Amino acid sequence: MNKDKINQFFSILQKENPTPEGELNYTNTYTMLVAVVLSAQATDVGVNKATKTLFEIVETPQDMIELGLKRLKTHIKTIGLYNTKAINVIKLSHALIEDHNGGVPETREELVKLAGVGRKTANVVLNMAFGQPTIAVDTHIFRISNRTKLATGKNVTEVERKLEKRIPDEFKRHAHHWLILLGRYICKARKPECPRCPVNQICPYKDKTL
Ligand code: SF4
């Protein structure tokens, strides 16, 4: 996709939804970090169900430590990989208290040192909590980037690098959510709904549905 097309692509998505938002529920930056860690290989809906009562009683890393591993597991047991995720959440809560005065760090380097936080999770938190123009390439963004030729690549890192280079600065802040929502509801994995896709005039995907 050339520069003009990329501009058109994001202008259309911006017009449709000027301030897109993610669908994970949280109450502050700390609970956002926890929700994003829990959402790895799980749906936002599933995570929201599990955190509904958890985030009524937990607002800070200290609250989480006081809740304890056993009770945390009871809250999140409907989420895949909950045992490991619970251990990571308790570990990262300790680290936030010990190394960051209970706050959430604002750099990728510091975030990825926390238990359960990889590059993708860090990018999501930097974007959602701190408004940084990061792109976290998940399965939806990977698929759309390749289908539309916005950024082709064999792995998420390759696609992330290309997206960071190609997306114009003015669209970077919201690009992450525009692409995720497009992938979740329209450009679906099995059968994309091209006829109702807002960018179907620009998209060069050869297997577009009629
Ligand atoms: S036109 Fe079809 S393939 Fe292209 S982005 Fe839209 S839904 Fe996906």
Side-chain angles (χ1 to χ4, degrees):
M1 223 190 249
N2 64 30
K3 258 190 179 175
D4 274 359
K5 288 261 161 72
I6 292 175
N7 260 311
Q8 278 181 49
F9 183 95
F10 284 106
S11 297
I12 292 169
L13 295 179
Q14 185 180 48
K15 211 169 161 196
E16 291 256 315
N17 186 1
T19 50
E21 284 182 12
E23 295 174 318
L24 266 185
N25 294 337
Y26 50 86
T27 57
N28 58 32
T29 309
Y30 168 68
T31 54
M32 175 202 285
L33 172 64
V34 172
V36 179
V37 167
L38 296 178
S39 73
Q41 294 172 53
T43 64
D44 288 358
V45 175
V47 173
N48 289 343
K49 265 189 202 158
T51 56
K52 192 170 184 304
T53 51
L54 176 67
F55 292 163
E56 279 169 13
I57 52 172
V58 169
E59 285 188 351
T60 65
Q62 188 60 39
D63 294 341
M64 191 67 86
I65 290 165
E66 283 167 17
L67 180 75
L69 183 61
K70 205 169 156 200
R71 280 191 290 163
L72 172 58
K73 281 187 185 177
T74 311
H75 277 277
I76 64 167
K77 66 181 180 211
T78 51
I79 304 175
L81 308 174
Y82 76 94
N83 271 313
T84 310
K85 287 177 181 175
I87 293 168
N88 284 337
V89 167
I90 295 290
K91 269 193 198 163
L92 76 80
S93 299
H94 278 289
L96 292 180
I97 291 172
E98 282 156 26
D99 303 331
H100 303 282
N101 291 322
V104 175
E106 293 190 31
T107 68
R108 188 186 284 143
E109 292 68 31
E110 290 171 303
L111 281 166
V112 295
K113 284 185 190 151
L114 299 168
V117 179
R119 188 180 171 89
K120 184 163 105 25
T121 299
N123 281 349
V124 174
V125 171
L126 290 173
N127 182 282
M128 284 168 46
F130 304 119
Q132 294 187 26
T134 51
I135 311 280
V137 178
D138 71 348
T139 174
H140 298 303
I141 297 186
F142 184 74
R143 183 175 67 250
I144 292 180
S145 299
N146 276 293
R147 276 181 180 169
T148 59
K149 301 213 185 321
L150 197 57
T152 54
K154 289 192 185 70
N155 57 55
V156 292
T157 315
E158 201 180 338
V159 169
E160 182 188 313
R161 297 242 156 84
K162 284 189 185 172
L163 285 174
E164 277 181 356
K165 256 198 217 160
R166 290 184 184 170
I167 298 175
D169 286 348
E170 60 180 300
F171 299 121
K172 274 208 178 113
R173 167 79 176 86
H174 293 307
H176 171 75
H177 282 130
W178 284 322
L179 294 176
I180 284 185
L181 294 172
L182 185 64
R184 196 172 281 167
Y185 296 109
I186 297 178
C187 193
K188 298 172 189 169
R190 287 215 186 128
K191 195 173 178 220
E193 298 187 24
C194 303
R196 66 182 197 92
C197 175
V199 291
N200 63 9
Q201 297 293 318
I202 301 165
C203 175
Y205 185 46
K206 66 176 175 35
D207 294 324
K208 274 198 271 193
T209 54
L210 293 173

